[in-house]
Amino acid sequence: MTHSKSFSLLLSILVLGIGCGDDDSSVEMDAGGGVDAPAMEDAPVADLDAGPETLELVGGDWNMPAGEEGYVCVRHTVDRTMFVNEFRPIQPLGTHHTVVTLVPDPEAGSDGTTDCAAFTNGPDMIYGSGVGTDPFAMPAGVAIKIEAGTQVLLNLHLFNSSTEAISGHSGIEVTLLPEEEVVHEAQVVLMGEEFFRIPARTMDHEIEGGCTMTGDTTVFAVMPHMHTFGTFMSVETAGSVSQILHEDFYSFDEQKYTTFEPLDLGSGDRINVLCRYDNPGDNVVNFGDSTLSEMCYAVVYRYPAVRSAGITCTL
């Protein structure tokens, strides 16, 4: 695929380990004649019901003054290789959207939490969420790989529209797959249009964009991302395969993933994205990351992962 510059997103990072404690309790046995035998340790019992490992991959506390918006970034270098199959956003009031990217060279910035900008992101995006995004699980055997030594960067866009200061803890919780269960390594690409304008006093204004495939790929999920002027989005394939991947009215408060059976696309095939907006005000609305500007992106999950793909594709 051909990809343009990166876009934005969000907050802090904490990688947790999950373990079990040993139980040293003993059992006192009667050896006949009323004589107590020496205590014997319980034999370890396998936990046959243990499920997949779950942890908070990225998360942190924040404060935002009344009527303001801004960005907080958190960097954390992971000490083991992980294969993520499911994402669950932690998004209290004030969390506008998040973007989680990977930085192969941790020297690009020290681990920790800092103020940042919308375009502070690594070259490989692994997850994004907006207001109202539900937990998102990939198909069985599909996962996003995070190599040991990779720095995970969470860019959190915060927006406080109230008249009082707010605070919260935002982040991303994940479920991991064992390496032996991974069949396909996935990635996410933002497909759509950039640098557009929505004229003042216009309703049902259309913006069209999309991405042309430059190699074989398989897509399996889409999430629409616009801001508060957005009213409708359709995402469909064209070329050797014609299929509607997503088509629905848009609500800024309900940005959810649409999943479907994995769909194979080839070089030259295209994913078209159409966005509609209502702008009843007297000012032009420009493309941008602020809540008061607009975007037209379909967040598309696909495999195999192409490490040089970048975050966006708008050609």
Side-chain angles (χ1 to χ4, degrees):
M1 297 181 186
T2 303
H3 298 271
S4 66
K5 66 179 183 60
S6 300
F7 106 113
S8 59
L9 312 151
L10 325 100
L11 180 56
S12 80
I13 293 182
L14 180 62
V15 177
L16 306 176
I18 296 180
C20 299
D22 292 327
D23 185 355
D24 293 329
S25 61
S26 60
V27 177
E28 190 176 59
M29 300 182 65
D30 190 288
V35 179
D36 292 334
M40 298 176 62
E41 292 186 353
D42 288 341
V45 178
D47 185 0
L48 300 179
D49 295 325
E53 182 179 0
T54 297
L55 54 86
E56 185 181 85
L57 175 66
V58 181
D61 299 329
W62 51 266
N63 298 280
M64 184 58 57
E68 295 190 13
E69 65 178 321
Y71 294 84
V72 174
C73 288
V74 180
R75 298 172 182 266
H76 179 83
T77 302
V78 300
D79 59 3
R80 59 173 172 138
T81 298
M82 304 176 182
F83 294 89
V84 178
N85 173 258
E86 183 175 356
F87 295 92
R88 288 178 295 280
I90 304 168
Q91 47 188 8
L93 180 67
T95 308
H96 175 279
H97 65 240
T98 66
V99 170
V100 184
T101 57
L102 303 181
V103 182
D105 180 11
E107 294 182 2
S110 301
D111 282 7
T113 304
T114 60
D115 292 336
C116 61
F119 293 97
T120 306
N121 296 291
D124 295 313
M125 180 176 174
I126 63 171
Y127 181 70
S129 69
V131 178
T133 301
D134 288 334
F136 166 58
M138 288 176 274
V142 178
I144 287 180
K145 183 179 183 180
I146 306 176
E147 293 270 12
T150 299
Q151 189 178 74
V152 183
L153 170 59
L154 173 63
N155 185 312
L156 174 65
H157 182 191
L158 304 169
F159 182 72
N160 181 7
S161 60
S162 72
T163 57
E164 297 182 358
I166 58 175
S167 61
H169 178 93
S170 301
I172 307 297
E173 195 174 69
V174 298
T175 296
L176 307 181
L177 277 185
E179 183 173 2
E180 60 271 18
E181 295 182 16
V182 178
V183 180
H184 300 289
E185 292 182 22
Q187 71 179 157
V188 61
V189 178
L190 306 179
M191 303 182 184
E193 188 56 84
E194 300 173 327
F195 310 116
F196 55 84
R197 293 162 59 88
I198 305 171
R201 297 180 297 281
T202 57
M203 305 296 284
D204 210 27
H205 182 77
E206 290 191 357
I207 296 294
E208 296 184 62
C211 174
T212 301
M213 309 301 115
T214 57
D216 293 342
T217 191
T218 300
V219 296
F220 57 89
V222 170
M223 184 188 78
H225 181 70
M226 297 185 284
H227 296 167
T228 56
F229 298 89
T231 61
F232 179 87
M233 179 184 286
S234 70
V235 183
E236 58 183 307
T237 64
S240 65
V241 179
S242 179
Q243 180 172 321
I244 296 175
L245 306 181
H246 172 89
E247 186 176 51
D248 203 356
F249 292 103
Y250 177 83
S251 169
F252 179 75
D253 296 325
E254 295 289 335
Q255 299 181 51
K256 301 181 183 298
Y257 281 95
T258 297
T259 58
F260 41 86
E261 288 297 317
L263 178 65
D264 296 332
L265 300 176
S267 181
D269 287 341
R270 182 171 172 81
I271 292 181
N272 292 318
V273 180
L274 182 145
C275 302
R276 293 177 182 165
Y277 307 88
D278 287 346
N279 177 20
D282 294 331
N283 298 317
V284 171
V285 174
N286 294 310
F287 170 84
D289 52 274
S290 170
T291 308
L292 303 179
S293 57
E294 266 303 341
M295 287 183 169
C296 177
Y297 284 125
V299 182
V300 178
Y301 274 81
R302 67 169 205 156
Y303 60 78
V306 180
R307 297 304 175 192
S308 60
I311 292 178
T312 61
C313 175
T314 57
L315 297 175

